[in-house]
């Protein structure tokens, strides 16, 4: 698993990458009450808005960490947004995307570096 | 930026897992471990304890005059009737500007020898300057130092405070008195900012931590942070200064015309005589061009502060914007307050909010959003 400085986690699975938000991000947001996801087949360029997370406190965005095509979204989050607080690294994955080359994740932070960033 | 000031309860906040943020120059908890949602719901179901010591407390007392003259002098800054306010009663009021805007909103208590004013933290200096320049020299404006302010709110508040202050449950809504609680000299009132029954206590700063712990231990009360304080007041339809009311909004536009006493209206016995009264009394008669309303988005997406509002689905009729908005834990859905042109202010009107480049439908609803539970007299 790799981490972005924007508090997303990235997990390469075959030629696809699963994206979610970190425990730290979930804690900072507080109680999540609504998640808006892209549609399967959507494409996004690096930096484009991919999903929106609304907590009681504020709204936050997940931006595409690189050029992607969405191949699956976690529909469970629409019904149960609180999963983001309960299990951010597991059940509350956001999207599964296709990239040209999964080595794009190599540039991102290892767990240890991410921990240092948020501590 | 200078690090924020702390209140006397700072160690209490840390000890209870408070997540500290900067608010109006103070370091205060936005929430504790249970989180905003739980703290909000616990306050509605049982009881929550809030540190509101950042707020400004002022005593206005006579220098060489009597209380009636102090009341008249204060009346020259706001549209309430303070002359006939009995000792031990409170009023919600607004300091108005010459242009008819709002300098701050306040709770005013008539004490035996003074008026106690509680002002917003971010407006302390503005209120102090304004009162010092507006009130007659016969009045002393005295900032209250070294007294903390806490609020105990919710249906369980009466029982919780009653355990240590058996006289407190006798207070009626918006009634206040001085009371010794566990040997501490408190100014207690039956008031709050949540839409629930509850109490607010001003007490010597050195005694507040013990009393707060006691309310938690003996009363089973949960400490509640600024996050739930905001969602509770929003559901109750109460204004936040700087968002829902400000120098640009008149009390009539803000839907606060009930703060304008009968005696201060046209044909009243002390008609007008407060800053901006011409505009405000005219609006009271002819109606304002825009007014604060409650808004319920039809879908699940919150419309937060700044969201532009339209009267049609093609963005051709701008009608106003959202001044407070978010998620209401008790409503279990999104809610907002904002200003709209009067033509779109009727309950049930379909309006649209621009959220992230999309136009989402919403309905104008009456305030408050929830049924309030103030103590019935």
């Amino acid at each position: 698993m790799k981490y972005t400085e924007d508090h997303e986690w990235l997990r390469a699975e075959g030629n696809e990458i699963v994206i979610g938000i970190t425990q730290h991000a979930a804690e900072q947001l507080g109680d999540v009450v609504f998640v808006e996801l892209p549609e399967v087949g959507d494409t996004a360029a690096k930096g484009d808005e991919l999903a929106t997370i609304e907590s009681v406190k504020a709204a936050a965005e997940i931006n595409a960490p690189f050029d992607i095509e969405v191949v699956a979204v976690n529909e469970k989050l629409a019904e149960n947004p609180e999963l983001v607080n309960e299990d951010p690294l597991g059940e509350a994955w956001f999207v599964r995307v296709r990239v040209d080359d999964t080595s794009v994740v190599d540039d991102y932070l290892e767990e240890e570096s991410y921990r240092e960033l948020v501590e | 930026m200078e690090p924020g000031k702390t209140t006397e309860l700072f160690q209490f906040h840390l000890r209870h897992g408070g997540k500290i943020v900067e608010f109006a120059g103070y370091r205060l908890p936005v929430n504790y471990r249970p989180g905003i949602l739980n703290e909000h719901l616990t306050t509605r179901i049982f009881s929550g304890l809030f540190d509101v010591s950042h707020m400004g407390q002022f005593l206005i007392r006579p220098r060489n005059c009597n209380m009636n003259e102090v009341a008249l002098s204060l009346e020259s800054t706001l549209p309430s009737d303070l002359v006939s306010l009995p000792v031990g009663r409170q009023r919600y009021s607004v300091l108005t500007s010459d242009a008819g805007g709002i300098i701050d909103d306040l709770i005013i208590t008539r004490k035996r020898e003074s008026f106690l004013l509680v002002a917003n933290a971010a407006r302390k200096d503005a209120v102090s300057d304004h009162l010092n320049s507006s009130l007659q020299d016969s009045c002393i404006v005295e900032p209250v130092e070294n007294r903390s302010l806490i609020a105990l709110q919710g249906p369980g508040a009466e029982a919780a405070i009653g355990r240590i202050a058996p006289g407190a449950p006798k207070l009626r809504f918006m009634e206040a008195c001085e009371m010794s609680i566990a040997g501490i000299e408190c100014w207690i009132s039956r008031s709050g900012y949540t839409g629930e029954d509850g109490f607010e206590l001003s007490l010597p700063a050195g005694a507040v931590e013990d009393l707060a712990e006691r309310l938690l231990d003996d009363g089973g009360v949960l400490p509640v942070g600024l996050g739930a304080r905001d969602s509770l007041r929003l559901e109750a339809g109460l204004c936040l200064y700087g968002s829902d009311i400000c120098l640009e909004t008149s009390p009539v536009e803000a839907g606060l015309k009930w703060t304008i006493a009968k005696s201060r209206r046209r044909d009243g016995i002390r008609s007008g005589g407060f800053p901006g009264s011409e505009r405000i009394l005219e609006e009271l008669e002819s109606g304002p061009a825009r007014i604060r309303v409650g808004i319920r988005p039809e879908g699940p997406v919150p419309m937060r502060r700044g969201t532009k509002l339209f009267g049609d689905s093609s963005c051709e009729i701008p009608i106003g914007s959202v001044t407070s908005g978010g998620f209401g834990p008790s409503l279990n859905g999104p809610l907002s307050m904002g200003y709209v042109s009067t033509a779109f202010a009727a309950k049930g009107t379909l309006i649209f909010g621009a959220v992230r480049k999309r136009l989402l439908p919403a309905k104008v609803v009456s305030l408050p959003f929830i049924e309030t539970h103030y103590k019935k007299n």
Side-chain angles (χ1 to χ4, degrees), chain B residues 84-305:
Chain B
S84 59
L85 182 67
V87 171
R89 300 290 300 175
Q90 300 185 301
R91 280 282 178 279
Y92 174 75
S93 192
V94 289
L95 291 174
T96 52
S97 71
D98 290 335
I102 300 175
I103 293 169
D104 199 11
D105 61 336
L106 320 155
I107 294 281
I108 302 174
T109 307
R110 186 173 192 146
K111 293 161 68 79
R112 227 162 270 287
E113 307 293 337
S114 61
F115 284 95
L116 171 66
L117 273 52
V118 177
N120 284 292
R123 300 299 286 165
K124 266 190 249 189
D125 291 346
V127 167
S128 170
D129 292 350
H130 181 68
L131 292 176
N132 276 305
S133 66
S134 306
L135 297 183
Q136 286 168 7
D137 290 340
S138 54
C139 301
I140 301 170
V141 178
E142 179 190 314
V144 176
E145 309 284 356
N146 303 316
R147 283 187 86 89
S148 296
L149 197 62
I150 55 174
L152 184 64
Q153 300 281 294
E158 182 175 85
I161 193 78
R163 289 192 185 186
I164 52 173
K170 294 197 193 86
L171 282 170
R172 296 180 298 165
F173 182 53
M174 297 295 272
E175 203 168 60
C177 69
E178 296 186 2
M179 189 181 285
S180 173
I181 300 179
I184 306 155
E185 175 250 329
C186 296
W187 306 340
I188 181 171
S189 64
R190 193 139 205 176
S191 52
Y193 192 48
T194 59
E196 299 299 323
D197 182 22
F199 300 83
E200 290 174 299
L201 284 84
S202 168
L203 70 165
V208 70
E209 194 163 351
D210 281 352
L211 189 76
E213 289 292 1
R214 216 165 142 193
L215 286 166
L216 264 46
D217 290 346
D218 298 356
V221 170
L222 189 76
V224 177
L226 294 171
R229 180 169 160 81
D230 191 53
S231 55
L232 287 159
R233 70 91 197 165
L234 182 53
E235 283 184 343
L238 300 170
C239 291
L240 173 65
Y241 192 89
S243 294
D244 308 302
I245 49 175
C246 63
L247 283 168
E248 312 303 321
T249 59
S250 80
V252 182
E253 289 176 329
L256 300 175
K257 60 183 179 187
W258 52 275
T259 61
I260 305 161
K262 212 173 160 195
S263 58
R264 312 297 305 279
R265 300 183 179 198
R266 279 184 185 160
D267 306 324
I269 49 169
R270 290 189 306 287
S271 176
F274 54 91
S277 59
E278 252 171 62
R279 172 194 170 183
I280 291 167
L281 295 182
E282 170 58 30
E283 275 185 359
L284 201 55
E285 253 166 49
S286 316
R290 57 170 192 162
I291 191 155
R292 179 174 62 99
V293 295
I295 299 161
R296 285 294 316 260
E298 305 231 288
V301 185
M303 296 180 185
R304 297 187 189 267
R305 186 177 176 204

Side-chain angles (χ1 to χ4, degrees), chain A residues 43-113:
Chain A
T43 57
K46 180 176 178 170
D48 284 356
E49 190 178 312
L50 197 57
T52 306
I53 311 165
E54 298 263 10
S55 73
V56 179
K57 225 173 355 187
E61 279 126 40
I62 296 184
N63 296 321
F66 25 74
D67 297 352
I68 51 110
E69 182 194 342
V70 177
V71 295
V73 298
N74 188 355
E75 302 283 2
K76 268 199 270 181
L77 296 185
E79 284 296 308
N80 302 98
E82 65 276 9
L83 279 177
V84 177
N85 300 107
E86 288 164 7
D87 191 13
L89 301 180
E91 262 203 278
W93 60 275
F94 277 69
V95 291
R96 176 182 286 273
V97 302
R98 186 176 295 135
V99 291
D100 292 339
D101 178 1
T102 53
S103 70
V104 286
V105 302
D106 294 349
D107 296 339
Y108 289 91
L109 303 172
E110 295 289 347
E111 183 167 352
E112 201 174 321
S113 313

Side-chain angles (χ1 to χ4, degrees), chain A residues 27-34 36 49 52-59 61, chain B residues 19 30-31 34-38 231 300-302 304 326-327 329 355-356 358:
Chain A
E27 282 167 11
Q28 290 301 310
L29 278 168
D31 306 302
V32 173
V33 293
F34 174 70
E36 190 166 305
E49 190 178 312
T52 306
I53 311 165
E54 298 263 10
S55 73
V56 179
K57 225 173 355 187
E61 279 126 40
Chain B
K19 190 176 150 201
V30 63
N31 58 266
I36 297 175
L37 218 52
N38 285 319
S231 55
V301 185
R304 297 187 189 267
F327 181 85
V355 182
R356 296 184 284 273
R358 277 190 306 161

